[in-house]
Amino acid sequence: MHSVLRLRTAFRSTIAKNICTSHVRQSTYEGDGKTSVSILNREADAGLLINSFSQVGFRLSNDMKVIGPMAIFPRSVLSWNVESHEDITEESLSLFTALEPKIDILVIGIGDQQTTPAFTKKIIEFMKKYRINVEVLNTEQACATFNFLNAESRVVAAALIPPVSLRFNEDDLMRTHIASSRPFELDEK
């Protein structure tokens, strides 16, 4: 019982700390050398951006989670009815040819699978009939490309399939280790 009360008290103080420190401080300095930083994924007018992906789906900049493959546009997202890159056909791509205004570029993320030049050529030839540029990439590169083009206010769409496996780097492993080594610790400052 005593540990529950301590957790409740710590939880309340943490909430109060987060609320009190969440305001933005305005700098009054306006002289030379002033630097400002803009985080695109937090700006509402940048449209939808992809924050992260997993084997299950995607997390968008508006905190929406999309399970499975998706078709994403600058301001909307749809479920895309494919299982793997082998299911990408003219029929599954016809959604992108019927849009108005016409998209400039379609970024296709095929998960972590390898494609053949014949597969890529077939997609490019089909989209060329509709004068739509296309990039066929792995999902990690496709997400970054979509975010970049969308932030530049290009008329872009992406068709993305979650990868079957994920690559981890040392930073990912370190964050996981730190989070798992102290799951219930709270800062008491």
Side-chain angles (χ1 to χ4, degrees), residues 1-173:
M1 182 68 174
H2 181 64
S3 62
V4 172
L5 290 174
R6 280 193 326 195
L7 269 175
R8 190 178 297 155
T9 304
F11 180 72
R12 285 183 186 146
S13 68
T14 302
I15 289 176
K17 186 187 323 180
N18 289 340
I19 292 171
C20 292
T21 60
S22 66
H23 70 281
V24 177
R25 294 184 181 177
Q26 297 285 333
S27 175
T28 57
Y29 176 69
E30 296 293 332
D32 291 335
K34 183 175 179 181
T35 303
S36 64
V37 175
S38 175
I39 299 173
L40 287 176
N41 286 15
R42 293 189 181 161
E43 291 183 11
D45 61 343
L48 288 176
L49 299 171
I50 304 159
N51 279 355
S52 62
F53 62 92
S54 71
Q55 296 160 316
V56 177
F58 303 87
R59 181 182 305 256
L60 306 180
S61 58
N62 63 355
D63 287 332
M64 179 186 292
K65 296 173 191 92
V66 178
I67 297 174
M70 72 172 174
I72 186 168
F73 307 93
R75 302 230 179 261
S76 60
V77 63
L78 300 169
S79 179
W80 191 35
N81 194 19
V82 297
E83 290 293 321
S84 72
H85 76 284
E86 294 166 349
D87 297 329
I88 300 174
T89 62
E90 292 181 5
E91 184 181 353
S92 68
L93 294 172
S94 63
L95 162 69
F96 303 101
T97 63
L99 297 173
E100 279 299 324
K102 183 177 74 71
I103 59 175
D104 292 331
I105 186 165
L106 173 63
V107 181
I108 299 176
I110 58 164
D112 53 358
Q113 305 301 310
Q114 296 294 323
T115 63
T116 62
F119 171 80
T120 304
K121 183 178 179 182
K122 183 176 82 171
I123 292 174
I124 291 172
E125 291 299 320
F126 173 70
M127 298 307 284
K128 189 184 282 187
K129 289 190 268 185
Y130 297 94
R131 290 184 253 183
I132 297 174
N133 296 312
V134 65
E135 286 285 333
V136 180
L137 305 164
N138 68 41
T139 296
E140 182 177 3
Q141 293 171 329
C143 289
T145 302
F146 173 81
N147 285 349
F148 178 78
L149 293 170
N150 195 20
E152 285 190 333
S153 299
R154 300 276 303 270
V155 183
V156 63
L160 303 170
I161 300 170
V164 174
S165 61
L166 297 175
R167 295 180 321 174
F168 295 101
N169 61 31
E170 290 178 13
D171 187 47
D172 296 330
L173 296 174

